[in-house]
Amino acid sequence: MKRKNKIILGACALALSAGAVIAYCVTDHQPPQLKVVSAYQADCGTSVTVDQLVVEVQDKSSCTVTLSGEGEVTEDGRSIRFSKAGDFSVILEATDAHGKSTRAEVPVTVTDVTAPELHVKDIIVQLGETIDYQSAVSAEDASDGDLTAKVEVDSAQVDPEKVGTYTVYYTVRDSAGNRAEERGHVIIKPVQATKIL
């Protein structure tokens, strides 16, 4: 009785029988199995990645997983960023080495809980000069964009008729009600004497 030898090579097999070589391959007809989270919550301006949304991927061959949606997707398709609050749908697609793919959808709720960024610099003027408070401040928000025009100034401590250093308070709120506050200084110097020739 002649013995048959089998050599398994990945998804293919070689059967050696009576000097003949018979090759046959086990074809992967099944798309990847993709398991994702049921829902996800993110903050405005932060990236949501494939790794945060995918629980497990199973397939006989190697797989790549990418995402798509209404936000700003990176070139490699591995993360997405939302610039405004709301409810969005992110589609994840797992594709195996044979081109078979599986899709899954994850609802993503984007909230705005981050305060705007407020940047303040000191103002230096001479006694009697006009104090331009708006020139010393800028405000930017991940969701609302430039909020500089909405910055409120509390300059109650400043005495424009007296030399000294005074504290000024700047505040701004975005459309979600997040508030940022910074302090700056107004430095009023004496008028420099003009040399008469």
Side-chain angles (χ1 to χ4, degrees):
M1 183 176 179
K2 294 182 179 180
R3 189 179 64 181
K4 291 183 180 181
N5 295 322
K6 286 186 179 180
I7 304 173
I8 306 298
L9 299 173
C12 296
L14 296 177
L16 306 179
S17 174
V21 178
I22 303 169
Y24 60 94
C25 291
V26 178
T27 306
D28 181 7
H29 293 291
Q30 298 299 320
Q33 295 181 11
L34 179 61
K35 185 177 180 182
V36 298
V37 297
S38 58
Y40 194 81
Q41 185 167 329
D43 187 23
C44 262
T46 61
S47 294
V48 179
T49 67
V50 166
D51 293 337
Q52 292 169 321
L53 302 181
V54 173
V55 176
E56 186 179 22
V57 183
Q58 289 186 350
D59 194 73
K60 293 180 180 178
S61 63
S62 60
C63 289
T64 58
V65 183
T66 57
L67 52 72
S68 60
E70 296 176 45
E72 181 184 335
V73 180
T74 55
E75 191 174 338
D76 62 2
R78 297 285 296 174
S79 67
I80 188 169
R81 180 179 173 274
F82 299 95
S83 60
K84 61 181 180 178
D87 293 320
F88 301 92
S89 179
V90 174
I91 304 299
L92 292 121
E93 183 171 15
T95 305
D96 66 17
H98 304 286
K100 301 205 175 288
S101 62
T102 301
R103 286 189 169 196
E105 181 179 343
V106 176
V108 176
T109 299
V110 180
T111 57
D112 185 0
V113 296
T114 303
E117 291 186 9
L118 191 56
H119 304 283
V120 174
K121 59 184 180 181
D122 291 342
I123 302 171
I124 302 173
V125 296
Q126 289 186 8
L127 192 65
E129 288 184 338
T130 301
I131 303 171
D132 184 1
Y133 295 101
Q134 288 300 127
S135 67
V137 66
S138 64
E140 189 77 20
D141 186 69
S143 181
D144 298 337
D146 188 1
L147 294 177
T148 302
K150 295 187 177 181
V151 175
E152 298 176 1
V153 182
D154 178 1
S155 59
Q157 296 184 18
V158 179
D159 183 353
E161 304 298 325
K162 187 176 179 181
V163 172
T165 299
Y166 304 93
T167 301
V168 181
Y169 297 94
Y170 300 87
T171 57
V172 66
R173 287 182 173 82
D174 62 17
S175 59
N178 301 305
R179 180 176 180 271
E181 179 179 306
E182 291 290 341
R183 67 177 67 185
H185 295 96
V186 172
I187 302 167
I188 302 178
K189 293 186 171 184
V191 177
Q192 292 182 353
T194 304
K195 186 182 290 186
I196 301 175
L197 298 177

